[in-house]
Amino acid sequence: MKMSQLFSPTLRETPADAEIISHQYMLRAGFIRKVAAGIYTYLPLGYRVIRKIEQIVREEMNKKGAQELLMPALQPAELWHESGRWDIYGKELMRLRDRHERDFCLGPTHEEVITDLVKREVNSYRQLPLLLYQIQTKYRDEIRPRFGLMRGREFIMKDLYSFDRDKEGLDESYKKMYDAYCRIFERCGLEYRSVEADSGAIGGSSSHEFMVIADSGESVIAYCENCDYAANVEKATFAMKVENSKSVLQDLIKVETPGVRTVAELEQFFNLAAKQILKTLIYETEKGFVAVVLRGDRNVNEVKLQNVLDSKYVNLVNEDRVKELIGCEVGSIGPVNLQEEIILVADREVPYVLNAICGANETNRHYQNVNYGRDFEANIIEDIALVEAGDPCPKCQGPLHITRGIEVGHIFKLGTKYSAALEATFLDEDGQARYYEMGCYGIGIGRTAAAAIEQNHDEHGIIWPVSIAPYHVVIIQVHDKEEKQKEICEELYNQLTDNGIEVVYDDRKERVGVKFKDADLIGFPLRIVVGPKTINDGTVEVKIRKTGEQLVLPLTDVNSWVNNYITSFLGK
RNA sequence: CGGGAUGUGGCUCAGUUUGGUAGAGCGCUUCGUUCGGGACGAAGAGGUCGCAGGUUCAAAUCCUGUCAUCCCGACCA
């Protein structure tokens, strides 16, 4: 490809509406252009990256015996009614009507379509296991699309669905996909981590997310350095440190606490640590109002809370409504003598806090020496606390660390949730109809590209891993009018291209500085410079974008050197 | 949906407070000089100031409405 012909409009300045590096560089380097919020055109360079990632995904899926198909983006409402998700999915589902006023949606995911297909076309255990996948454009009317390809309303995703006869089969399929995902992200040159995850709205039992470690990530993960434990903080738990306190239970007393509201103020007022204080928050949920009690040094993990309550939502009640409901300021709520109709959920640490401080449900009054079991009891005791850095690992007690990550892949064991909803069955050896044990496995293709940039860039631009770079090499002709340089460039271009190397020849009538800047910005892994030295002593400069290393090679060696370098990164 | 902000040439932005002939830099076109890290000079092209109303002799500027975009939060296979 000649740079003079390549449609990759680069920008000198950073567009104002791009916040994070990957978005900025994709725009500046001419990879994408925005059409509407969260909707983008992939320009030639951007699309090449997308296709590279897709190809890696394809190869690894196929290796595991999966078969590619393509389902429609446009889906009839009936299927979604059958699974019950037409009503549940909410505003995120892009809905539309055809000319006959029939309801449709643009698929955010394809469990319904695939399950319906398999239900119709597969009927025997002999045809299982079945692994089917597609690489498709998905639609989600995100509340807030942002960060370019990171969170779009239209985006490309690989989704695979596994159908097995039993739990053991599902475990095997899940393991296959887990392994394939590891290979994929390794091949993409990403530093990633697989973490235990909450299965969210899609449902199901076991679930892992594949996170690319990056500060700009929207997910937060906890991991242990001593062992392999790692989990999304939504899911992460920690070992409870039970202190064998010899404290004697003291008498409950009510104390005037004028103006004392926050845990920090209580610590001061009573000269006690936050973990000696119990704080109480009021949530509105599907099950009614819920009071959540936990240690003063803890925060609520709303995902855990939602799961414990089996509620579709949990919303913190605002201060004014709390006053109406409890009759006191939010700073003085407590679990003792709370109204019967409020469900009391205590974090599992709460029973171990002896002689605690808590609100007295009267403004400016608190109880001292509160003890679980004697002074109050909860309807539910569960782990509902958010993990903090330094908490002990649930597996090995080592300290947990917290970091941010970009969720590029997510795998779920769905079990029979969808097969049961859609009555999708097969016959086993005994002629018994059984529901499929299903799994679903997604990879955000565009998001993976964005994550790669977040992890591989410098102040000059992108540093593509070879495996997903739009082109491997750029050849820069220093003097655009020099015929001899041009001849050498063209010869080199042909040699490399014949070897299967993907090359761009920058033949533009630009000063060399401009070419260097664009080469760095676009992020070609290798840059070959053909200039006066090439004419005089038959050498060219080869610069490795990643390391900045620059070598001078005889013209005759360039082809094989480049070939070796590139292929060393493409091992499959 | 709540809170905040912004819409002026392809890009970055000034001008709006105090209404009076629409600006700069970059990019683009042509010519010349340059030529190994985003050159310089000269001459050009390009804008219904997001859109619709209103106030006014006069609106980018004031008022009302509306749309879009971005940030924070809630949300999220």
Side-chain angles (χ1 to χ4, degrees):
Chain A
M1 189 69 206
K2 282 185 176 171
M3 195 77 159
S4 59
Q5 306 294 308
L6 184 66
F7 181 50
S8 70
T10 56
L11 304 172
R12 293 197 177 198
E13 287 171 285
T14 304
D17 54 4
E19 187 76 2
I20 62 168
I21 294 285
S22 59
H23 189 195
Q24 291 173 355
Y25 280 156
M26 278 199 198
L27 288 169
R28 281 194 55 202
F31 283 67
I32 58 169
R33 283 293 182 267
K34 183 171 73 180
V35 175
I39 300 174
Y40 293 85
T41 293
Y42 305 97
L43 303 184
L45 287 176
Y47 193 47
R48 284 183 73 98
V49 173
I50 295 292
R51 290 208 321 259
K52 291 263 177 104
I53 297 171
E54 286 180 354
Q55 192 50 34
I56 289 173
V57 168
R58 257 188 200 106
E59 288 170 12
E60 297 301 329
M61 291 296 106
N62 293 348
K63 265 191 217 168
K64 297 295 180 185
Q67 300 173 68
E68 186 171 7
L69 46 63
L70 185 61
M71 291 179 270
L74 191 61
Q75 305 180 11
E78 292 92 80
L79 281 176
W80 287 73
H81 281 130
E82 268 190 73
S83 71
R85 288 207 293 185
W86 184 263
D87 299 318
I88 294 170
Y89 216 95
K91 290 187 179 166
E92 212 184 322
L93 189 62
M94 288 272 196
R95 296 162 208 255
L96 60 154
R97 284 215 167 113
D98 71 4
R99 60 168 68 194
H100 305 294
E101 298 289 303
R102 283 190 287 249
D103 287 317
F104 286 83
C105 66
L106 292 175
T109 171
H110 284 70
E111 281 83 7
E112 281 79 2
V113 178
I114 194 90
T115 308
D116 186 63
L117 175 76
V118 170
K119 162 188 170 177
R120 290 169 193 278
E121 309 301 336
V122 179
N123 29 44
S124 162
Y125 72 94
R126 293 172 199 274
Q127 294 163 285
L128 305 179
L130 190 56
L131 302 175
L132 298 172
Y133 75 100
Q134 64 174 345
I135 296 174
Q136 234 277 18
T137 301
K138 305 284 187 189
Y139 296 85
R140 288 187 196 169
D141 198 356
E142 292 282 350
I143 289 168
R144 189 143 84 87
R146 57 179 157 181
F147 299 156
L149 297 191
M150 203 73 95
R151 179 172 292 268
R153 293 192 291 174
E154 176 184 292
F155 58 98
I156 301 172
M157 181 170 156
K158 184 283 305 183
D159 48 327
L160 182 144
Y161 304 88
S162 68
F163 295 84
D164 279 283
R165 54 184 301 191
D166 53 25
K167 293 249 186 280
E168 290 68 41
L170 172 57
D171 289 345
E172 258 175 62
S173 294
Y174 191 84
K175 177 75 170 53
K176 275 188 196 169
M177 284 301 119
Y178 186 98
D179 293 343
Y181 274 42
C182 292
R183 291 269 308 151
I184 287 165
F185 297 119
E186 266 159 37
R187 282 184 61 186
C188 289
L190 295 169
E191 190 200 326
Y192 71 98
R193 188 135 197 175
S194 73
V195 306
E196 293 176 21
D198 183 73
S199 46
I202 256 212
S205 52
S206 188
S207 172
H208 284 85
E209 288 167 333
F210 288 77
M211 297 283 191
V212 168
I213 310 302
D215 291 336
S216 56
E218 295 181 279
S219 305
V220 181
I221 63 178
Y223 66 95
C224 178
E225 270 187 1
N226 298 343
C227 73
D228 61 354
Y229 182 76
N232 191 311
V233 291
E234 292 176 349
K235 166 91 176 177
T237 183
F238 50 92
M240 214 174 24
K241 276 186 270 185
V242 178
E243 288 162 20
N244 270 336
S245 170
K246 296 189 182 86
S247 310
V248 181
L249 302 198
Q250 295 176 11
D251 292 340
L252 183 70
I253 44 175
K254 196 183 281 183
V255 186
E256 294 282 337
T257 51
V260 179
R261 289 170 50 92
T262 64
V263 169
E265 286 162 1
L266 284 166
E267 280 186 274
Q268 276 234 307
F269 187 90
F270 287 99
N271 192 25
L272 276 173
K275 62 181 183 181
Q276 281 299 116
I277 295 161
L278 296 180
K279 66 178 176 190
T280 308
L281 300 99
I282 307 297
Y283 280 88
E284 190 172 4
T285 78
E286 212 182 340
K287 313 287 176 187
F289 288 104
V290 170
V292 174
V293 189
L294 67 173
R295 262 173 28 185
D297 59 337
R298 292 290 178 196
N299 288 306
V300 180
N301 181 329
E302 294 187 354
V303 174
K304 286 184 187 173
L305 179 64
Q306 200 168 324
N307 288 340
V308 162
L309 291 167
D310 190 26
S311 173
K312 291 199 180 70
Y313 60 92
V314 292
N315 294 321
L316 196 58
V317 173
N318 71 33
E319 299 196 13
D320 294 340
R321 291 208 44 206
V322 166
K323 227 182 283 183
E324 283 172 34
L325 205 67
I326 311 289
C328 70
E329 299 281 346
V330 289
S332 298
I333 317 171
V336 181
N337 296 328
L338 204 61
Q339 289 103 302
E340 288 279 314
E341 59 273 20
I342 296 179
I343 302 167
L344 189 57
V345 179
D347 182 59
R348 62 191 171 139
E349 289 175 323
V350 167
Y352 298 96
V353 182
L354 300 181
N355 300 322
I357 305 293
C358 74
N361 298 321
E362 295 171 43
T363 300
N364 292 334
R365 290 200 179 81
H366 282 80
Y367 283 120
Q368 206 168 354
N369 302 329
V370 175
N371 287 287
Y372 185 85
R374 182 190 72 183
D375 304 317
F376 72 99
E377 280 189 21
N379 302 86
I380 299 172
I381 300 178
E382 277 288 354
D383 171 18
I384 49 162
L386 197 64
V387 69
E388 307 271 348
D391 281 337
C393 169
K395 279 192 177 172
C396 76
Q397 317 284 314
L400 291 174
H401 297 259
I402 305 280
T403 186
R404 299 189 78 88
I406 300 164
E407 179 193 346
V408 288
H410 200 161
I411 60 179
F412 299 80
K413 286 183 189 171
L414 297 173
T416 56
K417 176 171 172 169
Y418 294 91
S419 52
L422 295 171
E423 283 296 329
T425 59
F426 62 94
L427 293 182
D428 66 12
E429 292 102 317
D430 306 322
Q432 288 286 324
R434 308 215 355 218
Y435 293 128
Y436 295 100
E437 288 287 340
M438 291 175 57
C440 85
Y441 315 83
I443 290 180
I445 303 290
R447 189 182 274 189
T448 301
I453 295 173
E454 290 297 323
Q455 222 171 50
N456 300 285
H457 68 267
D458 61 15
E459 68 273 26
H460 302 295
I462 306 168
I463 305 174
W464 286 110
V466 173
S467 58
I468 59 174
Y471 286 91
H472 301 137
V473 180
V474 60
I475 298 173
I476 290 180
Q477 182 179 339
V478 174
H479 302 288
D480 62 78
K481 295 196 187 80
E482 289 287 334
E483 276 304 314
K484 281 186 182 167
Q485 291 183 20
K486 185 179 173 192
E487 278 168 30
I488 292 170
C489 284
E490 285 181 343
E491 199 188 319
L492 256 181
Y493 176 86
N494 289 332
Q495 282 179 10
L496 289 166
T497 304
D498 287 347
N499 271 330
I501 303 296
E502 298 165 13
V503 190
V504 169
Y505 162 32
D506 196 344
D507 61 329
R508 290 177 301 170
K509 312 234 171 305
E510 288 286 354
R511 295 160 65 85
V512 73
V514 173
K515 299 184 182 183
F516 286 157
K517 288 289 183 187
D518 276 342
D520 287 346
L521 180 61
I522 291 170
F524 300 98
L526 291 178
R527 184 186 84 186
I528 298 174
V529 179
V530 173
K533 278 176 254 169
T534 316
I535 309 301
N536 296 336
D537 31 277
T539 60
V540 298
E541 287 167 25
V542 177
K543 188 172 181 184
I544 301 170
R545 177 73 176 86
K546 191 178 176 68
T547 60
E549 200 182 337
Q550 193 158 308
L551 26 158
V552 178
L553 296 176
L555 200 45
T556 47
D557 293 353
V558 180
N559 191 12
S560 63
W561 189 92
V562 169
N563 216 10
N564 285 339
Y565 181 89
I566 296 299
T567 50
S568 73
F569 284 94
L570 297 179
K572 291 174 183 175

